Every structure is written in structure tokens, then in C-alpha cells.
Amino acid sequence: MPGKNSRFAAILPAGGLGKRMGSKIPKQLLPLNGKPVYRYALETFAQMDKISEVVLAVPADWKSHFEKELEDFRFANKIKLVIGGKERWESVRNGIEALSKEIDFALVHDVARPLISQSLILQVMKTLETKGSCL
């Protein structure tokens, strides 16, 4: 089990189209208090020093939109964009496959849930280091 110097990554599935919402754009791109929903989780994970990389799994038809939106993102050097799958598990798998070999643990968090806190993420990381897994 990796120790205190473990390397962490975040996989953020953002591949859904949100068809049930009836919107013309994916739900993760809908504005929430002035910015797209996906940016909340992305920013929370990306600004954490203990997160080495963040993989964002996006819909194929919207990849260029995300690339353009993230061009000037402060933590762009940590971000990897991959194409999401038809199902959430496929998006997670694509994210895992994109991780650097040095990563010890991957945290998975859906961007449609924007209110994740750094304190909760740190608790999960500690549990991963001491117990080896966490849900």
C-alpha cells in the first residue's frame, strides 16, 4: 500500500449529454452561479497540491468546446481531456487508461455534483493511504 508520499489523480466523468434535462447543451455546461457546472469540481480538485493530474472525460462532440474553455485555465498543466464513453463506467475506464504510471490512487467524482469540498477529498485521500480503498 502506498505511503504518505502517494500520488493522487482525479477522474471527473463529464461525458453525459443530460438528455433527460431537455437542454440543447450537456448539463455539465449549464451555468451555475456564473460558471459552467463542471468547473466547480474541476477547480476544487485541480487547485489541490496533492492532486497530480485531473482527467476530464467529455462527450466526443463537445471536446473542442472544453479545450477552448480550458485554454487559459490556471491549472491547465494538470488537466487531461479524454473522450467519455456511452456509459459512466466507460468514461471512468477511459480516464484510468489516461493516467500516468506514477499515480498510486485515482479519485472518481462526477462533475454533475459540484459541491465537493477539499476537506472531504483530503479525508478520502487519508483513508486511501491507510486502508487502501474508499467509497
Side-chain angles (χ1 to χ4, degrees), residues 56-127:
L56 189 63
V58 302
D61 293 344
W62 289 86
K63 187 176 183 208
S64 61
H65 177 88
F66 281 91
E67 288 171 338
K68 185 170 171 61
E69 252 192 36
L70 295 171
E71 279 178 348
D72 298 327
F73 182 54
R74 181 174 164 205
F75 300 99
N77 61 323
K78 282 187 168 185
I79 308 300
K80 293 181 181 180
L81 287 179
V82 299
I83 301 299
K86 284 187 174 186
E87 302 289 333
R88 185 177 188 273
W89 70 267
E90 293 170 308
S91 294
V92 173
R93 180 196 59 205
N94 294 352
I96 289 170
E97 290 174 353
L99 293 175
S100 300
K101 291 181 171 93
E102 299 82 28
I103 297 299
D104 297 304
F105 295 108
L107 290 75
V108 179
H109 182 77
D110 195 316
V111 298
R113 291 165 178 80
L115 302 179
I116 185 81
S117 68
Q118 285 190 9
S119 62
L120 178 59
I121 296 167
L122 290 170
Q123 288 174 27
V124 168
M125 293 169 136
K126 183 178 180 181
T127 301

